[in-house]
Amino acid sequence: MRIYAHRGASKLAPENTLKAFNLAFEIGADGIEFDTYQHTDGIIVFHDRTLIRRTNTQGYLLSQPWDKLRMLDIGDGEQIPTLSETLNTIPRGKWCNIEIKHLVDVALWVNDVKTALAQSQVLEENVLVSSFNHHWLRDIAALWPEVKIGALSASYELDCTASARALCAYSVNIALDAVDKSFVERVLAEGFNVYVYTVDEPEDMRMLEKWGVTGIFTNVPDKALSVLHP
Ligand code: G3P
Ligand code: CA
C-alpha cells in the first residue's frame, strides 16, 4: 500500500510547503499529496480559499497578486510554493497527487502542468490528478488522456464507480469516514485503484491494507511507515 504524505509531512512542518514535501521524501514516503489553485500568475500550492488560517491575514487567496502572496509567511518562514517548485522536491520514481481546488482555463492548466513536469524529475506515469469537481477532471482527461485521474469523493455513492467509469479514471479517492470493505471490493473488482484520505491512526492503516487499498494519504508518513513497514 502506497503511503502519500498528505499536504507533505504536515505534522512535522507547515502543510503544503517545500519543507513539508522535502521532509516527506526524507522520511521515505512513496509520494506527496498537495492542493492547487490556478492563479492568474500560474498554478500555486495552497489548501484554503482564504488566507486567515495559514497567515492570519484577511482576504481571499485569489484576490491577491502573486508578489504579495509570495511575501506571506505560512509557517516556519515558508512561502506559498508554485507547482513547479513543488514538483522539483519529488525524486524520480516517487508519486504525487495534484488535487485541484480551483481551475478556470483547462487548456492553460494542462499546458502549465506539462511544462512543470518536463522541468522536473517526475514521471508522467507517477502523477495522479484529482478533484472533487469531476467536470474539471473530464475536461482534463479529454486534453490529456495519458494522465492518471483520481475521482475524488467524500461519500460512498450508490453507484460508487459511475464517475470513475465516465472519466476512465485510474482510481477512486474516498474519505476514510465513508469507506468500508464492500466499497473497496466493488471498486477493485471493476479494475480501479482505491486511495483513502486522511488516515493517521495505525488501526485504520492496518485495516485498509488488509482490504487491499492501493494507497493512503496521511499527515503522519513517519508513523505510517513504522506501522506498515516495521
Ligand atoms: O485528496 C484528499 C484530501 O486531501 C481531500 O480533502 O480537504 O484535505 O483537500 P482536503
Ligand atoms: Ca487535498
Side-chain angles (χ1 to χ4, degrees):
M1 187 164 74
R2 289 184 201 125
I3 299 168
Y4 282 58
H6 184 246
R7 310 182 195 174
S10 54
K11 277 269 161 50
L12 297 173
E15 68 181 44
N16 283 327
T17 60
L18 299 182
K19 187 174 180 184
F21 302 138
N22 284 319
L23 255 174
F25 291 114
E26 278 168 33
I27 287 165
D30 298 301
I32 52 171
E33 183 270 359
F34 53 91
D35 307 286
T36 61
Y37 284 75
Q38 189 178 41
H39 188 273
T40 45
D41 287 323
I43 301 171
I44 60 174
V45 174
F46 200 75
H47 182 272
D48 298 358
R49 296 163 69 82
T50 56
L51 295 168
I52 191 74
R53 182 175 65 92
R54 302 300 320 288
T55 68
N56 223 10
T57 309
Q58 293 292 339
Y60 282 95
L61 176 78
L62 293 175
S63 308
Q64 307 294 326
W66 174 235
D67 55 351
K68 273 207 170 157
L69 290 174
R70 189 61 155 179
M71 282 161 58
L72 295 171
D73 181 344
I74 56 169
D76 293 0
E78 292 287 307
Q79 300 170 311
I80 296 175
T82 63
L83 173 70
S84 195
E85 289 167 338
T86 300
L87 293 180
N88 278 311
T89 67
I90 305 174
R92 198 173 178 79
K94 295 285 184 171
W95 294 74
C96 70
N97 182 174
I98 305 174
E99 187 192 333
I100 306 167
K101 295 292 192 196
H102 175 84
L103 171 57
V104 176
D105 185 332
V106 175
L108 179 64
W109 188 92
V110 169
N111 187 62
D112 284 354
V113 176
K114 283 186 172 182
T115 302
L117 270 179
Q119 293 165 355
S120 77
Q121 301 265 334
V122 184
L123 303 171
E124 186 184 66
E125 67 201 46
N126 289 350
V127 176
L128 181 62
V129 175
S130 71
S131 181
F132 288 111
N133 187 324
H134 294 183
H135 299 261
W136 294 339
L137 297 178
R138 179 198 54 203
D139 296 346
I140 289 166
L143 289 179
W144 191 6
E146 301 83 17
V147 79
K148 290 183 168 70
I149 298 288
L152 180 55
S153 176
S155 61
Y156 183 171
E157 292 171 34
L158 294 177
D159 184 351
C160 62
T161 53
S163 271
R165 289 196 305 275
L167 294 165
C168 296
Y170 171 78
S171 64
V172 181
N173 299 9
I174 182 85
L176 177 61
D177 286 342
V179 75
D180 68 11
K181 193 164 183 266
S182 73
F183 177 92
V184 176
E185 284 170 355
R186 285 175 66 180
V187 175
L188 292 178
E190 288 196 42
F192 302 107
N193 293 279
V194 180
Y195 284 80
V196 181
Y197 70 92
T198 305
V199 186
D200 288 352
E201 295 304 323
E203 209 173 309
D204 291 326
M205 293 170 186
R206 290 192 199 98
M207 173 186 78
L208 296 170
E209 186 177 50
K210 215 161 105 191
W211 291 351
V213 161
T214 316
I216 55 166
F217 302 112
T218 178
N219 296 312
V220 283
D222 47 339
K223 193 200 280 188
L225 277 156
S226 69
V227 169
L228 299 169
H229 307 298

